[in-house]
Amino acid sequence: MSTPIPRSPAAVPWWKAYWPAPQKVDGRERLRGALGACLGIVITGLIGHFVGGPAMAAWIVAPLGASAVLVFAVPASPLAQPWAVVGGNTLSALVGVACMNLGGTTEWAAALAVAGAIGTMFALRCLHPPGGAAALLMVMAGVTDPRFVLFPVMLNSVVLVAVGVFYNNATRRRYPHAQVVPETPGVRDDLDAVLARYNQVLDISRDDLQALLEQTRGEGYQRRLAELHCRDVMSRDLVTVEFGTPLQEAWALLRERRIKALPVVDRLFRIVGIVTLADFMRTAELDLHEGFGEKLKQLIRSTGRSHSDKPEVVGQIMTRTVRVASEHRKLVDLVPLFGSTGHHHIPILGERERLVGIITQSDVVAVLADPHPR
């Protein structure tokens, strides 16, 4: 038993279900589809006339008009792919001929033809809406000769697909549109689970659906970043030190709070520098692995003397040039700093240049990962 897809809680007037949805394509794409269908039908008709001769009454079948809509207007649709067009039209027409030969009333033959065509297309993975029309046409026209399936139905379908391959690719529309299953762990399984619960045929390929979801998520990230300011994201629970804070105390704060940087402020809480794990490592020359622990202990251990050859307080090892940002600045402006300049922590300043918060790479990642930002 399938689980129904949750619907929007907002009440929608019943009559809006009958209102056509707007098309998200521009005039150029509409013209491209119309010209392609025109080209496909005229070439199919000319070849049909040539093969069938002037005496042949039926040289093109009506369902091909619907096939042209799919092939040229929605070439990415699974219902418009070559096997769907050729197999759907041909096999459905064959089912229609078979139902006509079974005898019975026209009404019953028509109903069985359409139902049988749909079942056959589902079974052979060539679902194509015009196929139902092809099956019905065989019954309504009283066709009992299977050769009619080969010509004009199958020949028409093959020619239309051939024109579609040439025209769509010439106009930069991929066709055939490979119905591949991308090997993306996690995302692949999640999408498969949702599609299984939906349990309906979608007029879009699986890879296109996943691509649209990823692009939509990207647009959401961009919009979210564009709307947020630094004050909306920054960490306000600040851990700071002063110029004269002993190194041992600063190191203990880094360890206890599990952070990688400490802003250095003056008495007015204005930023004068920043001390990071990298500053400790650089000063203690910890890039050399020999005596790693002992070097660090020697650095942070206080000598107890007023004058010493080694650094004793934060101000002696801190980085004095600090990249800062205003709390009113857009968050999107800071992304390049994190991505290309090697910054991991950016102090945020408020009124009178006082420190009011700090933004880290983790804060930005958390914003992007949050589906419901404040």
Side-chain angles (χ1 to χ4, degrees):
M1 182 177 179
S2 62
T3 303
I5 298 296
R7 303 299 180 184
S8 172
V12 179
W14 64 268
W15 55 268
K16 283 195 174 182
Y18 298 92
W19 193 258
Q23 297 292 332
K24 302 296 183 180
V25 294
D26 57 20
R28 184 176 181 179
E29 175 61 19
R30 298 177 189 184
L31 180 61
R32 188 202 68 83
L35 291 178
C38 177
L39 183 66
I41 293 298
V42 74
I43 292 178
T44 302
L46 289 173
I47 292 178
H49 258 139
F50 176 79
V51 173
M56 189 72 178
W59 42 268
I60 191 170
V61 290
L64 212 68
S67 296
V69 173
L70 290 170
V71 171
F72 296 98
V74 283
S77 169
L79 309 179
Q81 301 314 299
W83 170 237
V85 177
V86 177
N89 284 335
T90 304
L91 295 172
S92 296
L94 187 62
V95 170
V97 171
C99 290
M100 192 62 196
N101 283 317
L102 290 177
T105 63
T106 303
E107 291 81 358
W108 274 107
L112 290 175
V114 174
I118 293 174
T120 301
M121 289 187 288
F122 262 125
L124 298 179
R125 295 192 297 178
C126 56
L127 192 63
H128 186 60
L136 185 61
L137 176 64
M138 300 301 105
V139 175
M140 301 308 296
V143 178
T144 57
D145 189 352
R147 288 179 296 180
F148 192 87
V149 174
L150 298 178
F151 177 81
V153 177
M154 187 174 76
L155 179 63
N156 286 171
S157 301
V158 170
V159 173
L160 187 74
V161 165
V163 177
V165 171
F166 171 79
Y167 181 82
N168 283 318
N169 285 281
T171 54
R172 298 183 179 180
R173 292 295 180 270
R174 183 159 51 103
Y175 187 81
H177 198 90
Q179 310 298 296
V180 298
V181 178
E183 297 296 326
T184 306
V187 175
R188 176 191 61 199
D189 299 334
D190 293 341
L191 185 56
D192 285 340
V194 172
L195 290 175
R197 289 198 300 269
Y198 189 70
N199 196 30
Q200 296 183 44
V201 176
L202 292 178
D203 194 12
I204 182 174
S205 65
R206 188 191 179 288
D207 55 318
D208 278 346
L209 178 59
Q210 180 171 329
L212 288 174
L213 290 174
E214 292 174 351
Q215 291 178 29
T216 301
R217 183 168 51 190
E219 289 292 329
Y221 289 161
Q222 293 293 331
R223 175 179 52 78
R224 193 176 307 167
L225 285 175
E227 294 174 351
L228 290 175
H229 295 81
C230 291
R231 63 174 178 269
D232 302 320
V233 179
M234 66 185 185
S235 300
R236 299 175 183 271
D237 183 18
L238 294 172
V239 181
T240 63
V241 292
E242 296 181 352
F243 187 97
T245 301
L247 292 181
Q248 190 169 12
E249 182 180 334
W251 179 258
L253 285 173
L254 291 173
R255 291 288 303 274
E256 292 171 5
R257 301 299 290 267
R258 296 185 178 181
I259 53 180
K260 299 179 181 179
L262 290 168
V264 184
V265 297
D266 60 16
R267 294 181 179 179
L268 296 178
F269 223 64
R270 293 178 298 194
I271 193 84
V272 296
I274 192 168
V275 61
T276 67
L277 292 177
D279 293 321
F280 277 91
M281 295 179 67
R282 182 188 68 252
T283 307
E285 298 181 350
L286 296 183
D287 53 332
L288 302 176
H289 297 292
E290 294 82 359
F292 183 94
E294 187 58 33
K295 287 181 178 180
L296 181 60
K297 290 179 181 179
Q298 290 178 2
L299 173 65
I300 65 177
R301 184 184 299 125
S302 176
T303 62
R305 299 196 298 263
S306 58
H307 299 283
S308 174
D309 293 334
K310 80 172 190 66
E312 296 283 337
V313 297
V314 166
Q316 294 176 287
I317 71 169
M318 70 180 184
T319 300
R320 298 175 182 271
T321 304
V322 185
R323 178 65 67 92
V324 297
S326 167
E327 63 177 334
H328 303 293
R329 192 173 182 181
K330 291 290 186 68
L331 180 62
V332 68
D333 296 336
L334 302 189
V335 173
L337 299 179
F338 288 118
S340 60
T341 62
H343 285 78
H344 299 279
H345 314 81
I346 299 181
I348 307 301
L349 306 183
E351 296 181 359
R352 300 181 181 179
E353 301 298 311
R354 291 179 177 177
L355 181 68
V356 294
I358 190 168
I359 292 181
T360 68
Q361 286 182 332
S362 300
D363 294 325
V364 177
V365 172
V367 169
L368 296 179
D370 185 4
H372 303 292
R374 292 175 295 177

